[in-house]
Amino acid sequence: MLIANISDFRKDIKTYLDKVSKNFETLIINRGKDKGIVVMSLEEYNSLMATNHELSSRKNETRLDSAIDKLKAGNTFSKDLIEE
């Protein structure tokens, strides 16, 4: 995680944005007492939104937890794909 104040960000905006996009860094721009802005790559944002959606209902969360438990326990199987 990177942290910068607004002045430093303005001075070197390209470098900060390159680090965010290339290194999957999250940048917090401090704007004063308890105020700030978070900058992240679009890919990271989309990933967070997908996770949020997957965990948006208790039913989905339970199904995912169950699948993870089965995988950890080695309770898996394989299927061949049907090619047409």
Side-chain angles (χ1 to χ4, degrees), residues 52-67:
N52 186 48
H53 175 72
E54 290 166 357
L55 299 176
S56 63
S57 75
R58 185 69 187 140
K59 185 177 179 180
N60 278 355
E61 187 176 350
T62 302
R63 287 179 58 217
L64 288 169
D65 287 342
S66 174

Side-chain angles (χ1 to χ4, degrees), residues 8-35:
D8 291 339
F9 178 68
R10 280 185 188 146
K11 288 179 200 172
D12 210 4
I13 190 170
K14 182 182 181 328
T15 300
Y16 280 110
L17 294 179
D18 285 347
K19 287 180 183 179
V20 167
S21 70
K22 292 178 184 173
N23 301 331
F24 298 101
E25 291 278 1
T26 301
L27 170 63
I28 297 178
I29 303 171
N30 191 349
R31 299 190 71 202
K33 186 178 180 180
D34 298 328
K35 293 185 180 183

Side-chain angles (χ1 to χ4, degrees), residues 37-70:
I37 304 294
V38 176
V39 179
M40 66 179 68
S41 70
L42 180 59
E43 187 175 350
E44 187 71 18
Y45 173 80
N46 287 338
S47 176
L48 285 173
M49 291 299 103
T51 300
N52 186 48
H53 175 72
E54 290 166 357
L55 299 176
S56 63
S57 75
R58 185 69 187 140
K59 185 177 179 180
N60 278 355
E61 187 176 350
T62 302
R63 287 179 58 217
L64 288 169
D65 287 342
S66 174
I68 290 169
D69 290 341
K70 287 177 183 177

